[in-house]
Structure formats: C-alpha cells, structure tokens
Coordinates of all heavy atoms in Angstrom, one line a residue:
M1 N -67.7 -84.8 -26.0 CA -67.3 -84.0 -27.1 C -66.0 -83.3 -26.7 O -65.9 -82.8 -25.6 CB -68.4 -83.0 -27.3 CG -68.2 -82.2 -28.6 SD -69.6 -81.2 -29.0 CE -68.9 -79.6 -28.8
A2 N -65.1 -83.2 -27.6 CA -63.8 -82.6 -27.4 C -64.0 -81.0 -27.3 O -64.7 -80.4 -28.2 CB -62.8 -82.9 -28.5
V3 N -63.4 -80.4 -26.3 CA -63.4 -79.0 -26.2 C -62.0 -78.5 -26.1 O -61.2 -79.0 -25.4 CB -64.2 -78.6 -24.9 CG1 -64.2 -77.1 -24.6 CG2 -65.6 -79.2 -24.9
P4 N -61.7 -77.4 -27.0 CA -60.3 -76.9 -27.0 C -60.0 -76.3 -25.6 O -60.8 -75.6 -25.0 CB -60.3 -75.9 -28.1 CG -61.7 -75.6 -28.4 CD -62.5 -76.7 -27.9
K5 N -58.7 -76.5 -25.2 CA -58.3 -76.0 -23.9 C -57.9 -74.5 -24.0 O -58.0 -73.8 -23.0 CB -57.1 -76.8 -23.4 CG -56.8 -76.7 -21.9 CD -55.9 -77.8 -21.5 CE -55.9 -78.0 -20.0 NZ -55.2 -79.1 -19.5
R6 N -57.4 -74.2 -25.2 CA -57.0 -72.8 -25.4 C -57.6 -72.3 -26.7 O -57.9 -73.0 -27.6 CB -55.5 -72.7 -25.5 CG -54.7 -73.2 -24.2 CD -53.4 -72.4 -24.1 NE -52.6 -73.0 -23.0 CZ -52.9 -72.7 -21.7 NH1 -53.9 -72.1 -21.3 NH2 -52.1 -73.2 -20.8
K7 N -57.6 -70.9 -26.8 CA -58.2 -70.3 -28.0 C -57.2 -70.5 -29.2 O -56.0 -70.3 -29.0 CB -58.4 -68.8 -27.8 CG -58.9 -68.1 -29.0 CD -59.2 -66.6 -28.6 CE -59.8 -65.9 -29.8 NZ -60.0 -64.5 -29.5
M8 N -57.7 -70.9 -30.3 CA -56.8 -71.0 -31.5 C -56.8 -69.7 -32.3 O -57.8 -69.1 -32.5 CB -57.4 -72.1 -32.4 CG -56.5 -72.5 -33.6 SD -57.2 -73.9 -34.5 CE -55.9 -75.0 -34.5
S9 N -55.6 -69.3 -32.7 CA -55.4 -68.0 -33.4 C -56.2 -68.1 -34.7 O -56.4 -69.1 -35.3 CB -54.0 -67.7 -33.6 OG -53.4 -68.6 -34.6
R10 N -56.6 -66.9 -35.2 CA -57.3 -66.8 -36.4 C -56.4 -67.3 -37.6 O -56.9 -68.0 -38.5 CB -57.6 -65.3 -36.7 CG -58.4 -65.1 -38.0 CD -58.7 -63.6 -38.2 NE -59.7 -63.2 -37.1 CZ -60.0 -62.0 -37.0 NH1 -59.6 -61.0 -37.7 NH2 -60.9 -61.6 -36.0
S11 N -55.1 -67.0 -37.5 CA -54.2 -67.5 -38.6 C -54.2 -69.0 -38.6 O -54.3 -69.6 -39.7 CB -52.8 -66.9 -38.3 OG -51.9 -67.4 -39.3
N12 N -54.0 -69.6 -37.5 CA -54.0 -71.1 -37.4 C -55.3 -71.7 -37.9 O -55.3 -72.7 -38.6 CB -53.7 -71.6 -36.0 CG -52.2 -71.5 -35.7 OD1 -51.4 -71.3 -36.6 ND2 -51.9 -71.6 -34.4
T13 N -56.4 -71.1 -37.5 CA -57.7 -71.6 -37.9 C -57.9 -71.5 -39.4 O -58.3 -72.5 -40.0 CB -58.8 -70.7 -37.3 OG1 -58.7 -70.8 -35.8 CG2 -60.2 -71.2 -37.7
R14 N -57.5 -70.4 -40.0 CA -57.6 -70.3 -41.5 C -56.7 -71.2 -42.2 O -57.1 -71.7 -43.3 CB -57.5 -68.8 -41.8 CG -58.6 -68.0 -41.4 CD -58.5 -66.5 -41.7 NE -59.7 -65.8 -41.3 CZ -59.9 -64.5 -41.2 NH1 -58.8 -63.8 -41.6 NH2 -61.0 -64.0 -40.8
H15 N -55.5 -71.4 -41.7 CA -54.6 -72.3 -42.4 C -55.1 -73.7 -42.3 O -55.0 -74.5 -43.3 CB -53.2 -72.3 -41.7 CG -52.4 -71.1 -42.2 ND1 -51.8 -71.1 -43.5 CD2 -52.0 -70.0 -41.7 CE1 -51.1 -70.0 -43.6 NE2 -51.2 -69.3 -42.5
R16 N -55.7 -74.1 -41.2 CA -56.3 -75.4 -41.1 C -57.5 -75.6 -42.0 O -57.6 -76.6 -42.7 CB -56.7 -75.7 -39.6 CG -57.4 -77.0 -39.4 CD -57.7 -77.2 -37.9 NE -58.3 -76.1 -37.3 CZ -59.6 -75.7 -37.3 NH1 -60.4 -76.3 -38.0 NH2 -60.0 -74.6 -36.6
R17 N -58.4 -74.6 -42.1 CA -59.5 -74.7 -42.9 C -59.2 -74.7 -44.4 O -59.9 -75.2 -45.2 CB -60.5 -73.6 -42.6 CG -61.2 -73.7 -41.3 CD -62.2 -72.6 -41.0 NE -62.8 -72.8 -39.7 CZ -63.5 -71.8 -39.1 NH1 -63.6 -70.6 -39.7 NH2 -64.0 -72.0 -38.0
A18 N -58.1 -74.1 -44.8 CA -57.7 -74.0 -46.2 C -57.3 -75.3 -46.7 O -57.3 -75.4 -48.0 CB -56.6 -72.9 -46.3
Q19 N -57.0 -76.3 -45.9 CA -56.6 -77.6 -46.4 C -57.8 -78.5 -46.9 O -57.5 -79.4 -47.6 CB -55.8 -78.4 -45.3 CG -54.6 -77.7 -44.8 CD -53.6 -77.3 -45.9 OE1 -53.3 -78.2 -46.7 NE2 -53.2 -76.1 -45.9
W20 N -59.0 -78.1 -46.5 CA -60.1 -78.9 -46.9 C -60.6 -78.5 -48.3 O -60.9 -77.3 -48.6 CB -61.3 -78.7 -46.0 CG -61.0 -79.4 -44.7 CD1 -60.5 -78.8 -43.6 CD2 -61.3 -80.7 -44.3 NE1 -60.4 -79.7 -42.6 CE2 -60.9 -80.9 -43.0 CE3 -61.9 -81.8 -45.0 CZ2 -61.0 -82.1 -42.3 CZ3 -62.0 -83.0 -44.4 CH2 -61.6 -83.2 -43.0
K21 N -60.6 -79.4 -49.3 CA -61.0 -79.1 -50.6 C -62.0 -80.1 -51.1 O -62.0 -81.3 -50.8 CB -59.8 -79.1 -51.5 CG -58.8 -78.0 -51.2 CD -57.6 -78.0 -52.1 CE -56.6 -76.9 -51.8 NZ -56.2 -76.8 -50.5
A22 N -63.0 -79.6 -51.8 CA -64.0 -80.5 -52.4 C -63.5 -81.2 -53.6 O -62.8 -80.6 -54.4 CB -65.3 -79.7 -52.8
A23 N -63.8 -82.5 -53.7 CA -63.3 -83.3 -54.8 C -64.5 -83.5 -55.8 O -65.6 -83.7 -55.4 CB -62.7 -84.6 -54.4
T24 N -64.2 -83.5 -57.1 CA -65.2 -83.8 -58.1 C -65.5 -85.3 -58.0 O -64.7 -86.1 -57.8 CB -64.7 -83.5 -59.5 OG1 -63.5 -84.2 -59.8 CG2 -64.5 -82.0 -59.6
P25 N -66.8 -85.6 -58.1 CA -67.2 -87.0 -58.0 C -66.7 -87.8 -59.2 O -66.5 -87.3 -60.3 CB -68.7 -87.0 -58.1 CG -69.1 -85.7 -58.7 CD -68.0 -84.8 -58.4
Q26 N -66.4 -89.1 -58.9 CA -65.9 -90.0 -60.0 C -67.0 -90.4 -60.9 O -68.0 -91.0 -60.4 CB -65.3 -91.3 -59.3 CG -64.8 -92.3 -60.3 CD -63.5 -91.9 -61.0 OE1 -62.8 -91.1 -60.5 NE2 -63.4 -92.3 -62.2
L27 N -67.0 -90.0 -62.1 CA -68.1 -90.3 -63.1 C -67.8 -91.6 -63.8 O -66.7 -91.8 -64.3 CB -68.3 -89.1 -64.1 CG -68.7 -87.8 -63.5 CD1 -68.8 -86.7 -64.5 CD2 -70.0 -87.9 -62.7
V28 N -68.8 -92.4 -63.9 CA -68.7 -93.7 -64.7 C -69.8 -93.7 -65.7 O -70.9 -93.2 -65.6 CB -68.8 -94.9 -63.7 CG1 -67.6 -94.9 -62.8 CG2 -70.1 -94.9 -63.0
P29 N -69.5 -94.4 -66.9 CA -70.5 -94.5 -67.9 C -71.6 -95.5 -67.5 O -71.3 -96.5 -67.0 CB -69.8 -94.9 -69.1 CG -68.5 -95.6 -68.6 CD -68.2 -94.9 -67.3
L30 N -72.9 -95.1 -67.8 CA -74.0 -96.0 -67.5 C -75.0 -95.9 -68.7 O -75.3 -94.8 -69.2 CB -74.7 -95.5 -66.2 CG -75.9 -96.3 -65.8 CD1 -75.6 -97.7 -65.4 CD2 -76.6 -95.6 -64.7
T31 N -75.4 -97.1 -69.2 CA -76.4 -97.1 -70.3 C -77.8 -97.4 -69.8 O -78.0 -98.4 -69.2 CB -76.0 -98.2 -71.3 OG1 -74.6 -97.9 -71.7 CG2 -76.9 -98.1 -72.5
L32 N -78.7 -96.4 -70.0 CA -80.1 -96.6 -69.6 C -81.0 -96.3 -70.8 O -80.9 -95.3 -71.5 CB -80.5 -95.5 -68.5 CG -79.8 -95.7 -67.2 CD1 -80.1 -94.5 -66.3 CD2 -80.3 -97.0 -66.5
D33 N -81.8 -97.2 -71.1 CA -82.7 -97.2 -72.3 C -82.0 -96.9 -73.6 O -82.4 -96.1 -74.4 CB -83.8 -96.1 -72.1 CG -84.6 -96.4 -70.9 OD1 -84.9 -97.5 -70.6 OD2 -85.1 -95.4 -70.2
G34 N -80.8 -97.5 -73.7 CA -80.0 -97.3 -74.9 C -79.2 -96.0 -75.0 O -78.6 -95.7 -76.0
V35 N -79.3 -95.2 -74.0 CA -78.6 -93.9 -74.0 C -77.5 -93.9 -72.9 O -77.7 -94.4 -71.8 CB -79.6 -92.7 -73.7 CG1 -78.8 -91.4 -73.7 CG2 -80.7 -92.7 -74.7
R36 N -76.3 -93.5 -73.3 CA -75.1 -93.5 -72.4 C -75.1 -92.2 -71.6 O -75.2 -91.1 -72.1 CB -73.9 -93.7 -73.2 CG -72.6 -93.9 -72.4 CD -71.5 -94.3 -73.3 NE -70.2 -94.4 -72.5 CZ -69.3 -93.4 -72.5 NH1 -69.5 -92.3 -73.2 NH2 -68.2 -93.5 -71.8
H37 N -75.0 -92.4 -70.3 CA -74.9 -91.2 -69.4 C -73.7 -91.4 -68.5 O -73.2 -92.5 -68.2 CB -76.1 -91.2 -68.4 CG -77.4 -91.0 -69.1 ND1 -77.9 -89.8 -69.6 CD2 -78.4 -91.9 -69.4 CE1 -79.1 -90.0 -70.2 NE2 -79.4 -91.3 -70.1
L38 N -73.1 -90.2 -68.1 CA -72.0 -90.2 -67.1 C -72.6 -89.9 -65.8 O -73.2 -88.8 -65.6 CB -70.9 -89.3 -67.5 CG -70.1 -89.7 -68.7 CD1 -69.1 -88.5 -69.0 CD2 -69.3 -90.9 -68.4
V39 N -72.6 -90.8 -64.8 CA -73.2 -90.5 -63.5 C -72.1 -90.8 -62.4 O -71.2 -91.5 -62.6 CB -74.4 -91.5 -63.3 CG1 -75.5 -91.2 -64.3 CG2 -74.0 -92.9 -63.3
P40 N -72.3 -90.2 -61.2 CA -71.4 -90.4 -60.1 C -71.4 -91.9 -59.7 O -72.5 -92.5 -59.7 CB -71.9 -89.6 -59.0 CG -72.7 -88.5 -59.7 CD -73.3 -89.1 -60.9
Q41 N -70.3 -92.4 -59.4 CA -70.1 -93.9 -59.1 C -71.0 -94.3 -58.0 O -71.6 -95.4 -58.0 CB -68.7 -94.2 -58.8 CG -68.4 -95.7 -58.7 CD -66.9 -96.0 -58.6 OE1 -66.1 -95.1 -58.5 NE2 -66.6 -97.2 -58.5
H42 N -71.2 -93.5 -56.9 CA -71.9 -94.0 -55.8 C -73.4 -93.9 -56.0 O -74.2 -94.4 -55.2 CB -71.6 -93.2 -54.5 CG -72.0 -91.7 -54.6 ND1 -71.3 -90.8 -55.3 CD2 -73.0 -91.1 -54.1 CE1 -71.9 -89.6 -55.2 NE2 -73.0 -89.8 -54.4
L43 N -73.9 -93.4 -57.2 CA -75.3 -93.4 -57.5 C -75.7 -94.3 -58.6 O -76.9 -94.3 -59.0 CB -75.7 -91.9 -57.9 CG -75.6 -90.9 -56.9 CD1 -75.9 -89.5 -57.4 CD2 -76.5 -91.2 -55.7
V44 N -74.8 -95.2 -59.1 CA -75.1 -96.1 -60.2 C -76.3 -97.0 -59.8 O -77.2 -97.2 -60.6 CB -73.9 -96.9 -60.5 CG1 -74.2 -98.0 -61.5 CG2 -72.8 -96.0 -61.2
K45 N -76.3 -97.6 -58.6 CA -77.4 -98.5 -58.3 C -78.7 -97.8 -58.2 O -79.8 -98.4 -58.6 CB -77.1 -99.2 -56.9 CG -76.0 -100.2 -57.0 CD -76.0 -101.2 -55.9 CE -74.8 -102.1 -56.0 NZ -75.1 -103.4 -56.3
A46 N -78.8 -96.6 -57.8 CA -80.0 -95.8 -57.7 C -80.5 -95.6 -59.1 O -81.8 -95.7 -59.4 CB -79.8 -94.5 -57.0
Y47 N -79.7 -95.3 -60.1 CA -80.1 -95.1 -61.5 C -80.6 -96.4 -62.1 O -81.6 -96.4 -62.8 CB -79.0 -94.5 -62.3 CG -78.7 -93.0 -62.2 CD1 -77.7 -92.6 -61.4 CD2 -79.6 -92.1 -62.7 CE1 -77.5 -91.2 -61.3 CE2 -79.4 -90.8 -62.6 CZ -78.3 -90.3 -61.9 OH -78.2 -89.0 -61.7
E48 N -79.9 -97.5 -61.8 CA -80.3 -98.8 -62.3 C -81.7 -99.2 -61.8 O -82.5 -99.9 -62.5 CB -79.2 -99.9 -62.0 CG -78.0 -99.7 -62.8 CD -76.9 -100.6 -62.3 OE1 -77.0 -101.2 -61.2 OE2 -75.9 -100.7 -63.1
R49 N -82.0 -98.9 -60.5 CA -83.2 -99.3 -59.9 C -84.4 -98.4 -60.3 O -85.5 -98.6 -60.0 CB -83.1 -99.3 -58.4 CG -82.2 -100.4 -57.9 CD -82.0 -100.4 -56.4 NE -81.1 -101.4 -55.9 CZ -80.5 -101.3 -54.7 NH1 -80.8 -100.4 -53.9 NH2 -79.7 -102.3 -54.4
G50 N -84.0 -97.2 -60.9 CA -85.1 -96.3 -61.3 C -85.4 -95.3 -60.2 O -86.4 -94.6 -60.4
L51 N -84.6 -95.2 -59.2 CA -84.9 -94.2 -58.1 C -84.5 -92.8 -58.6 O -85.1 -91.8 -58.1 CB -84.1 -94.6 -56.9 CG -84.5 -96.0 -56.3 CD1 -83.6 -96.3 -55.1 CD2 -85.9 -96.0 -55.8
L52 N -83.6 -92.7 -59.5 CA -83.2 -91.4 -60.0 C -83.3 -91.4 -61.5 O -83.1 -92.5 -62.1 CB -81.7 -91.1 -59.6 CG -81.4 -90.9 -58.1 CD1 -79.9 -90.7 -57.9 CD2 -82.1 -89.7 -57.6
H53 N -83.5 -90.3 -62.1 CA -83.7 -90.2 -63.5 C -82.6 -89.1 -64.1 O -82.7 -88.0 -63.6 CB -85.1 -89.7 -63.9 CG -86.1 -90.6 -63.4 ND1 -86.3 -91.9 -63.9 CD2 -87.0 -90.5 -62.4 CE1 -87.3 -92.5 -63.2 NE2 -87.7 -91.7 -62.3
P54 N -81.8 -89.5 -65.0 CA -80.8 -88.6 -65.5 C -81.5 -87.5 -66.4 O -82.4 -87.8 -67.1 CB -79.9 -89.4 -66.4 CG -80.7 -90.7 -66.7 CD -81.6 -90.9 -65.6
E55 N -81.0 -86.3 -66.2 CA -81.5 -85.2 -67.1 C -80.9 -85.3 -68.5 O -79.8 -85.7 -68.6 CB -81.2 -83.8 -66.5 CG -81.9 -83.6 -65.1 CD -81.0 -83.9 -63.9 OE1 -79.8 -83.8 -64.1 OE2 -81.6 -84.2 -62.9
G56 N -81.6 -84.8 -69.4 CA -81.0 -84.8 -70.7 C -81.9 -85.3 -71.8 O -82.8 -85.7 -72.1

C-alpha cells in the first residue's frame, strides 16, 4: 500500500478532493409490461430478468 512520504497541506487536500464529482446515471427507456420506464443503463438486464421492480 502506498504511504505518503510527507504531510499534505490542508489546502492541497481540499483542492484535490474538490475535483471529484458525482455524475448522474445514464437513463435509458425500457418497456416492462407495456409501461415505459427510464432506468439506469447498467441495471437494464436486472430489470429484464425480474430481479428489480420499477416503482410507479
């Protein structure tokens, strides 16, 4: 595991952390039982197999 050799300043730490931003998931249309839903792209197969149920 990497260990820092020197202490990082609070300012540098906060500037580095500020660059991380959460992205909204890519929503794709999916038709289940004749009803169209917008679901995250990476969960489409789970919805098709019946592992997840859309609310609504």
